Amino acid sequence: MNLLLSNDDGFDSEGLNILAKKLSEKHKVFIIAPDSNRSAVSHHITMVTQNNMTKLADNIWSCSGYPVDCVFTGLESNILGVKIDGVVSGINRGANMGTDIVYSGTCAVARQAVLSGVPGIAVSLDPVSWETVKTDGMKYEALAKFTADNIEKLLGLAKITPPRAFVNINALSVDSYKGVRFADKPCVREYGDKTIVVHDKDDKYHTEFVMGGNKTPVLEDTDFGICRNGYIAISLVYADPIFEEIAKIVDYKDFSL
């Protein structure tokens, strides 16, 4: 297969390059990734300015734009010169579960893939704790091997006809896993983040983002709970908006004009 890889951590990230190496053993791999970290940019796409592309090696490009710019360029232009069979985003340095998906550039790559008619998966690695990362680093190898060994099955889960959906994969940063479980309930995050507004002088101010202490209930049937119990969590996430049928709960006659 011809596979397009991207991420939001940047073209030189460890997770992307380990995954690319594994996938390259059996598939033709192309990389278009941001030229620096673009975490938490969601589905941002550049429309009114240009992006700069740099060819770093055969089939490897960096892009000055955002993650969605990367996959959009790879799928909707002639830059690669081949038909792409699947898009893989990651492996991200940090989880993308539940509420994270709203903000995630990693998930946005997979979302844009299915919106462009190509199966897409997002792959993310959750550290046991960020303190362990300082001493042990991130352990990408086991999740990269799983993804490469099962790439056809994983891409086959994606839906490219409405309602379109991408595959979201999360696992702990460990050497091995107990197995695989499908999560049909997303976790709910309470980030506790804040913004401080600082008065510089006169009518000038600036803001400073302050990360909070992420709190997530460990419920066994959620993506977070499955990961914390040592399994690889796989979920299917709608790319197209899904509306609740309001007519069942609200009578239009209740509104006044």
Side-chain angles (χ1 to χ4, degrees):
M1 289 193 297
N2 293 320
L3 301 176
L4 173 60
L5 272 62
S6 192
N7 68 355
D8 69 2
D9 289 335
F11 73 93
D12 57 351
S13 69
E14 185 180 11
L16 175 70
N17 286 284
I18 289 175
L19 181 57
K21 183 178 179 181
K22 290 287 186 183
L23 289 169
S24 295
E25 293 174 3
K26 295 183 179 180
H27 305 281
K28 185 73 171 179
V29 171
F30 300 83
I31 297 175
I32 304 179
D35 60 9
S36 61
N37 191 295
R38 298 286 193 276
S39 295
V41 297
S42 191
H43 210 96
H44 190 143
I45 188 168
T46 303
M47 298 179 68
V48 297
T49 58
Q50 68 181 22
N51 289 315
N52 298 317
M53 305 287 295
T54 302
K55 189 171 185 178
L56 304 170
D58 287 344
N59 304 331
I60 301 177
W61 297 78
S62 69
C63 174
S64 64
Y66 298 91
V68 169
D69 292 320
C70 296
V71 67
F72 194 81
T73 300
L75 298 179
E76 306 290 356
S77 78
N78 61 356
I79 191 171
L80 301 180
V82 299
K83 179 182 179 294
I84 295 298
D85 301 302
V87 172
V88 186
S89 182
I91 297 172
N92 191 66
R93 188 177 187 270
N96 283 299
M97 310 180 208
T99 314
D100 300 335
I101 297 169
V102 175
Y103 303 97
S104 170
T106 302
C107 289
V109 167
R111 183 187 297 114
Q112 183 58 52
V114 298
L115 293 178
S116 292
V118 178
I121 66 175
V123 189
S124 303
L125 196 67
D126 190 22
V128 176
S129 74
W130 287 107
E131 288 300 316
T132 62
V133 173
K134 294 177 182 178
T135 56
D136 301 335
M138 294 287 280
K139 299 181 177 182
Y140 293 103
E141 291 288 344
L143 187 55
K145 183 179 186 303
F146 167 80
T147 303
D149 288 348
N150 297 278
I151 188 63
E152 291 90 351
K153 293 179 182 178
L154 293 169
L155 289 171
L157 296 173
K159 299 180 183 298
I160 58 174
T161 57
R164 294 163 288 192
F166 67 89
V167 179
N168 194 32
I169 303 168
N170 284 273
L172 281 178
S173 174
V174 293
D175 294 319
S176 62
Y177 300 103
K178 296 178 181 178
V180 179
R181 289 188 177 176
F182 292 92
D184 56 8
K185 292 184 180 179
C187 65
V188 176
R189 304 281 209 187
E190 294 182 9
Y191 299 108
D193 301 331
K194 303 290 183 184
T195 298
I196 297 174
V197 179
V198 180
H199 186 193
D200 297 322
K201 65 177 181 177
D202 300 329
D203 59 349
K204 302 296 183 183
Y205 299 77
H206 74 269
T207 63
E208 297 176 1
F209 185 84
V210 181
M211 294 186 67
N214 189 342
K215 296 180 180 179
T216 309
V218 185
L219 304 178
E220 290 189 5
D221 55 351
T222 65
D223 43 12
F224 183 72
I226 290 170
C227 284
R228 286 289 142 175
N229 284 319
Y231 294 86
I232 296 171
I234 300 177
S235 54
L236 204 56
V237 182
Y238 285 115
D240 291 298
I242 303 296
F243 290 174
E244 181 72 20
E245 191 174 348
I246 297 177
K248 291 182 178 180
I249 56 175
V250 178
D251 189 332
Y252 70 92
K253 296 177 182 178
D254 292 340
F255 295 95
S256 58
L257 297 176

